[in-house]
Amino acid sequence: MAGLIPQQFIDELLNRVDILEVIDSRVKLRKAGKNYSGLCPFHNEKSPSFSVQPDKQFYHCFGCGVGGNALGFLMAYENIDFPDAVEELARLAGVEVPREETKATKASKSRYDTTLELLAKVNKWYVQQLKLHPARERAVSYLKKRGITGEIARDFNLGYAPPGWENVMGEFGSTPEAVKLLEEAGLVIGRDKNTSNNRHSHYDRFRDRIIYPIRDVRGRVIGFGGRVLGDEKPKYLNSPETQVFRKGEELYGLYEAKQQRRQFERYLLVEGYMDVIALAQNSIYNSVATLGTATSEKHLRTLFKQTSEIVFCFDGDNAGREAAWRALQVALPLMEDGRSLRFLFLPDGQDPDTHVRTIGRQAFEAQIAQATRLADFLFSTLSSKLDMDSPEGKAQLASAAKPLLQKLPEGVFSKLMLDELGRLTGVSRYDLLASPPANLTNSPAYIEKPNTLSRNSLPQQSKRNSRPQTISVAMRMVNLLIRQPSILREVELPEDFQQYQTRDLLLLLKVIEIARSSPDASPHELMGRLYSTDYSEQLTQVLSRELITPKEGFAHEFKELLTGLTQQQQQLKLKAATLQKLHTHFQSEPTNELPPLDVPPLEQ
């Protein structure tokens, strides 16, 4: 909803802050020569390989390869997007972030911000009612009965909507415009669409309920949930969809979990507000809940930014298993290598709140760690009603599982899941896919032989054991250019340089574009501009490569690489022209004779 952040401000901000101060408050560092080192926050290690270089305003881990400037660190460490990282860096520097806005964005931002301001005020009022309202004892008694302490109530900002139809209306609806904003924020409901916006035209949405503010990842109140104190229906009530609140995208408790300033090994996905709060009451802070909706792809993508493992916590009854099965199907396309999904089914009649109080925190966490893996849940569910001792049962399992496994991203996990299906059915992965390589053995217990396969089909381990993988010429040029943008003053690019645009070359062209506009920019300023593009992940990869070339040789090496890349493009252009000539010849004159071609051999 906000306008663009001026690039000049980002450059000035990066020059103003010290990367050492940014990282040192989050990672324990100690001086090592002119640099600082510590244990990497992005992977588990026992000896420090994480280095901060104050003179270059750059960090790098020699263990896992991550690296970048202060903005890049905040994005990776806090799991936030570029604009939020700029906001956080500006907060640390004590400055406001300016915005370049059009009339449309100004109007939209004004309404968006005004709604957030109203929600913050109403939330503060709800919290005051829990402390001061004459009817508060019912709410306090309910929370005490659930074992909720004052500290947890404070941390989750719990409040109380007192009995009555027009409490919020009376407090915040003094003008027709204020009433309209209350309705847009989902706080009041119109009695009659034909009634004007006066204080009696609407009534409060939340009445005589415990109030749970729903906060986004930045801690801003975007909506509310309310729980009745008696037997009224519905038991739980959420804010409707608004300009600032998308219930299918938000996760309750994620902001509170992040306040622990810890990298959790896994996150637990539960059903409701009280589940999250009760677990936090028992020192289990890594749980979040969907807001009355089924688990969505957006929910999972958000969580996978925070951790590599998600554990679903469901009731053990049929409804819980059906919900788990729907969640599994949503998750399959997101199961990239390195990610894990588990399912914890609770005993009948138990929820996370009652279960953790029954068995204790340590036993509960042990159950989470031993929860059912995705593969086990998938195959056991599909085979539960099949006769797996018969060919028919095995064929039915393969038929049911294949469409699901085809949703998995290509990678090792996908192959291992097919291998597991092959083990259960006695059919090889390639037969299951109905596209076996020609030179594979026909034995069901097939063996992949590196020397009988093409290079592109080598098993991952065989590739790793060969010579170290090298990066492309374009990426090597990026590495040089980021460290010394002034190189471009000594270089003239060919006119048709942009003809063959591979992904690496597109990154190089973007770096060239930015470096040309600011040839005197420092490396961390240049990186700051690139982190806001789609190339930030590539940038991190290339910066993890150490340069052995001395700084005074950067320009010479860049020119040599440019010459080689230009020749490579010329060869590609010549090859394309040759193929086009052959195509045209055979289209116009079908014959077995080749046309005369005077083409030099292409370099390998």
Side-chain angles (χ1 to χ4, degrees), residues 326-395:
R326 290 192 296 269
L328 178 146
Q329 294 182 74
V330 172
L332 287 175
L334 307 180
M335 293 308 296
E336 301 171 357
D337 292 346
R339 291 178 175 177
S340 174
L341 207 68
R342 291 175 179 263
F343 299 86
L344 176 63
F345 296 103
L346 301 179
D348 288 346
Q350 295 280 301
D351 57 29
D353 177 14
T354 58
H355 193 54
V356 73
R357 284 193 285 174
T358 300
I359 67 173
R361 178 178 64 84
Q362 290 185 342
F364 189 82
E365 289 186 327
Q367 289 185 356
I368 294 174
Q370 297 300 317
T372 304
R373 295 184 180 276
L374 181 153
D376 296 332
F377 179 55
L378 186 149
F379 290 122
S380 65
T381 301
L382 292 178
S383 62
S384 61
K385 297 181 180 180
L386 301 177
D387 179 7
M388 291 305 296
D389 292 327
S390 70
E392 292 84 358
K394 293 177 181 179

Side-chain angles (χ1 to χ4, degrees), residues 139-203:
V140 173
S141 176
Y142 170 82
L143 293 174
K144 286 182 177 179
K145 183 179 178 181
R146 297 295 297 264
I148 304 304
T149 64
E151 290 76 11
I152 290 295
R154 177 204 62 207
D155 292 345
F156 283 85
N157 228 211
L158 300 186
Y160 176 52
W165 291 88
E166 296 179 0
N167 291 306
V168 170
M169 276 291 297
E171 188 73 22
F172 300 97
S174 57
T175 66
E177 177 59 27
V179 173
K180 184 178 180 181
L181 188 61
L182 283 170
E183 185 175 21
E184 289 178 1
L187 293 166
V188 300
I189 302 172
R191 296 180 187 274
D192 187 339
K193 292 185 180 296
N194 297 321
T195 305
S196 60
N197 288 336
N198 59 56
R199 65 173 297 165
H200 299 295
S201 64
H202 294 69
Y203 61 92

Side-chain angles (χ1 to χ4, degrees), residues 260-272:
Q260 297 297 314
R261 297 294 180 186
R262 290 158 55 186
Q263 293 286 342
F264 292 113
E265 182 181 354
R266 61 179 64 90
Y267 267 82
L268 185 65
L269 190 57
V270 296
E271 288 192 271

Side-chain angles (χ1 to χ4, degrees), residues 237-300:
L237 182 66
N238 288 329
S239 292
E241 298 268 325
T242 67
Q243 182 185 22
V244 301
F245 178 46
R246 299 288 184 266
K247 66 177 64 177
E249 299 179 3
E250 300 296 337
L251 288 164
Y252 180 75
L254 182 57
Y255 169 76
E256 287 78 8
K258 288 173 67 67
Q259 298 317 294
Q260 297 297 314
R261 297 294 180 186
R262 290 158 55 186
Q263 293 286 342
F264 292 113
E265 182 181 354
R266 61 179 64 90
Y267 267 82
L268 185 65
L269 190 57
V270 296
E271 288 192 271
Y273 309 107
M274 280 306 301
D275 292 329
V276 173
I277 294 172
L279 289 170
Q281 180 70 64
N282 286 274
S283 301
I284 299 175
Y285 301 104
N286 56 328
S287 70
V288 296
T290 56
L291 298 167
T293 65
T295 304
S296 70
E297 184 175 313
K298 175 67 176 177
H299 290 142
L300 298 182

